Amino acid sequence: MSQWKSKFIYGMALTCLVSACATTPPPAVDPAAKLDAIVAEADAAQKAGQTDKAVKLLKDATSAFPADKGPWIRLAQIRFDAENYGDAISYALEGLNRDPKDKVANSIVAVGGLRLSTKALNDLRTQNDLNGNVRNEAQGLAKILRESLGETVLVPARPKAVVRPAVPKKGAVAAKPGATPEPSGDGANPFGSLQ
């Protein structure tokens, strides 16, 4: 009887071994397909108004796929659309670290930077603190922008506005003869003196 038990155990072991070899391994998950699924889910969440969920999904994707630019650029676009330009620029720069030629990321950095600069210049202008080195640097940047865009004026002139006479502050640089005074009021062109 012990011989029968040995044969039975040997036969069962052999059967298990053969059947284990016959099973096919589960199909490998394509990483690109998995990333596409996460981005699609984030896009659906964004369209449904669930921005926080979309951002969380994309941030998780940046951890799971650190070499891929896609989630970073999608995060940058979401933040840009929400007018959170600081975060948008930061995420776009991460995308550019992975692909320096990405046009969307470069556009977000450029336009987001201009919008932040416009706000800062408006704030400085309302405080009448745009002078000295800051003013010179702003004028230099405006010149570079005009040359890059092939334009003589960065921001087209608005319809005639009420013009207030320029009263120089003590220690301020006097206006050049024939220079156009800046329009007054809210919403005035922050680049008025830089044209």
Side-chain angles (χ1 to χ4, degrees):
M1 180 105 173
S2 70
Q3 190 179 27
W4 181 78
K5 283 183 183 179
S6 318
K7 286 182 181 181
F8 178 74
I9 293 174
Y10 176 74
M12 289 301 287
L14 186 59
T15 304
C16 289
L17 182 63
V18 169
S19 65
C21 292
T23 59
T24 58
V29 177
D30 180 24
K34 185 175 179 181
L35 178 60
D36 290 343
I38 294 170
V39 171
E41 185 179 355
D43 287 343
Q46 177 69 17
K47 288 178 184 173
Q50 300 172 335
T51 303
D52 291 341
K53 180 180 178 183
V55 168
K56 182 182 181 326
L57 286 166
L58 291 167
K59 283 185 177 179
D60 291 346
T62 63
S63 297
F65 303 92
D68 199 292
K69 70 176 182 175
W72 291 108
I73 294 172
R74 189 68 191 104
L75 278 167
Q77 187 67 56
I78 288 172
R79 290 303 191 211
F80 183 86
D81 292 343
E83 298 181 5
N84 186 337
Y85 302 118
D87 283 350
I89 291 169
S90 177
Y91 291 137
L93 289 173
E94 286 291 338
L96 288 172
N97 283 340
R98 288 148 181 84
D99 179 6
K101 294 182 180 180
D102 188 87
K103 289 183 180 181
V104 172
N106 275 309
S107 297
I108 289 172
V109 171
V111 175
L114 285 172
R115 290 189 179 171
L116 285 174
S117 296
T118 300
K119 182 186 178 319
L121 287 170
N122 263 333
D123 292 347
L124 283 171
R125 193 170 152 269
T126 59
Q127 298 166 13
N128 290 323
D129 284 342
L130 186 59
N131 56 33
N133 290 338
V134 174
R135 181 184 187 94
N136 293 338
E137 189 169 335
Q139 287 174 331
L141 290 172
K143 180 181 177 189
I144 291 170
L145 283 171
R146 283 193 306 267
E147 290 170 356
S148 297
L149 297 172
E151 301 287 334
T152 56
V153 176
L154 281 178
V155 181
R158 292 186 178 186
K160 292 231 175 193
V162 177
V163 178
R164 61 184 159 101
V167 179
K169 293 171 88 177
K170 184 177 180 181
V173 177
K176 294 178 184 174
T180 307
E182 296 180 31
S184 65
D186 290 335
N189 178 358
F191 297 112
S193 66
L194 304 176
Q195 295 178 356

